[in-house]
Amino acid sequence: QVQLVESGGGLAQAGGSLRLSCAASGRTLSNYAMAWFRRAPGKEREFGAAISWYGDSTYYADSVKGRFTISRDDAKNTVYLQMNSLKPEDTAVYFCAAKALDSSSWYHAAPWSYDYWGQGTQVTVSS
């Protein structure tokens, strides 16, 4: 079991920045591929960004590409999402997710591919 706790959400103005953190406990984070998803009010959960087990591959949704950066610090058992040039449409609850390194395939943008989820952190961007 791995427990994930997100932090760093809050209120930002359009054009501003926030950095989200996802702290893992219970297992070594290096054994997990990680991702950030988000759910805006009245919308389905959507993929935001993902990073592979060794951090050598990153993936982004078109809506955040060039503005958001996912990174990991396995020594701190933490994954980050740096969000720049924020837009009001980035307003959502942001969740981090972990996929164990095992024999099953990893579909980085598919929520069902992940084994563990955090509770989420609210990000609100005002215009």
Side-chain angles (χ1 to χ4, degrees):
Q1 284 277 358
V2 61
Q3 292 78 43
L4 303 174
V5 178
E6 302 93 337
S7 62
L11 178 65
Q13 290 190 332
S17 299
L18 285 174
R19 188 175 82 155
L20 305 184
S21 298
C22 174
S25 61
R27 294 289 173 87
T28 302
L29 196 62
S30 58
N31 293 327
Y32 296 86
M34 301 296 296
W36 288 93
F37 287 78
R38 67 186 185 183
R39 185 172 64 233
K43 294 188 177 181
E44 298 283 326
R45 180 174 46 184
E46 67 173 4
F47 169 72
I51 188 166
S52 62
W53 288 273
Y54 305 110
D56 53 344
S57 296
T58 56
Y59 307 89
Y60 297 94
D62 288 342
S63 58
V64 307
K65 196 173 296 182
R67 301 187 299 120
F68 290 10
T69 303
I70 188 171
S71 62
R72 62 189 301 154
D73 186 340
D74 290 344
K76 294 183 178 180
N77 246 24
T78 302
V79 173
Y80 303 97
L81 185 68
Q82 178 66 44
M83 306 187 296
N84 299 329
S85 302
L86 283 164
K87 304 176 180 180
E89 51 263 44
D90 293 321
T91 295
V93 178
Y94 284 71
F95 302 88
C96 69
K99 193 279 188 257
L101 177 60
D102 58 23
S103 59
S104 62
S105 298
W106 176 44
Y107 299 93
H108 61 267
W112 48 261
S113 196
Y114 293 87
D115 304 299
Y116 303 101
W117 293 82
Q119 293 299 307
T121 186
Q122 175 70 47
V123 170
T124 302
V125 183
S126 62
S127 56

